Amino acid sequence: MQFFYFLFLLYNVVMDNKFPKGFLWGVAVSSYQTEGNNFNSDWWEWEQKGKTKDKSGIACDYWNKYKEDHDLVQELGCNIFRLSLEWSRIEPEEGKFSEEAIKHYRDILQDLKNRNIKTQVTFWWWTSPIWFQDKYGFHKKSSISVFARYIEKSVKELGDLIDMFQVLNEPMVPLGQGYLTGLFPPGKKNPFYFWQALKNIAKAYVESYKIIHSIKPDAIVGMTHLYNWYDSGKSNILGKMIYGVSKWFQVIAFSRRIKNHQDFFGLNYYRLGKINLRHWKSEKINFFIEENENNIMGWIAYPEGIYEAIKEAYQDYKMPIFITENGFPFDIGLDDYPRVLFIKEHLRYVKKAIDEGANIIGYNCWSLLDNYEWLYGFAPRFGLVEIDYKTLERKPRKSFYEYKKIIQNNGL
Ligand code: BGC
């Protein structure tokens, strides 16, 4: 009897760490940050104007080395891979689609399919063709149909190889930076344009959602939302205000415009949103510590925040959630133990949310590779795999092997 009781306990301990059967384990990369040589992109032009710390150049050369990188995804044991399409490659001139680029994306997607890896494809990850930015821009209403045409063409050509569709990645980031701070293209500081752009890109999203479903009725379509956690002492008025404004900006402003047009909720979680009020920081910091020398972006890791974000999103939107990005810029060579801790701690909280009833269908580490981090250039290192930017050699880090174990075990 005691023996069976022991087995029962053991079963519980083992099962307790397991994620649901069929859980999707992934890693993510984005086209502009890894492919290299995206000459027709507005961000490329932005770099030439000296607006970024580094120029992306050949980046990781994923465009040519994708098979090598898919070997890594396969070695990890991922059953899904998140990547994106570069609009400026597919439509380098207005209305003229590049058969060559489309064929190349087909090869990339087919290569993943051959390895039995599901494809999660984002269609707009912050960059647009130069012609689009010159003539349109999302602040103009005419941008909607132009964007929809790109979606329609891409889905017709590539949709059969796509398992999960993400029309947009975190649109509020480039909208804020492109129309309020002026740090991203188109470099405007105009709240009216910001507002127009928000409305138009949301309409373009809804239009795209419909187009994708009309071409592929059973498609799973959504987008990703940045959901950092800003709960820094809701008890005082200022805290409540910051929490409310950040929630509105990150999630509500967009979500309310696309109601009933998401088949899942893509949630990107990174950190505790930093508010430059010293005393708030100290309350929430745990073992990762703020702004240490391994964290050149000055971020605050806060694993519990992923749990809070999931709980809130699940309660508000009541749909399956995919953790589409989670990672941290540790620059510490191959033995990246803090990243291992980071991943495990976050997954522990994801599991807690699942145990409490949230429907989480998958998780992506950001990122498979070190890559080009927008304004910051190449210095931040987010990869499970280190890139030597001189030789482009890929070197898996400790976190790569630890994540592999987690995937093998379907849990921690
Ligand atoms: C973006 C990525 C970026 C990452 C780290 C995410 O919000 O989707 O493009 O590299 O944050 O900053």
Side-chain angles (χ1 to χ4, degrees), residues 151 155 165 167 208-217 219 221:
I151 294 291
V155 175
F165 295 75
V167 178
S208 305
Y209 178 92
K210 292 180 186 158
I211 291 171
I212 299 171
H213 275 291
S214 72
I215 299 172
K216 198 173 174 181
V221 188

Side-chain angles (χ1 to χ4, degrees), residues 138-150:
F138 281 110
H139 58 291
K140 292 190 189 152
K141 213 169 172 190
S142 48
S143 63
I144 301 173
S145 58
V146 177
F147 184 79
R149 182 182 58 192
Y150 153 63

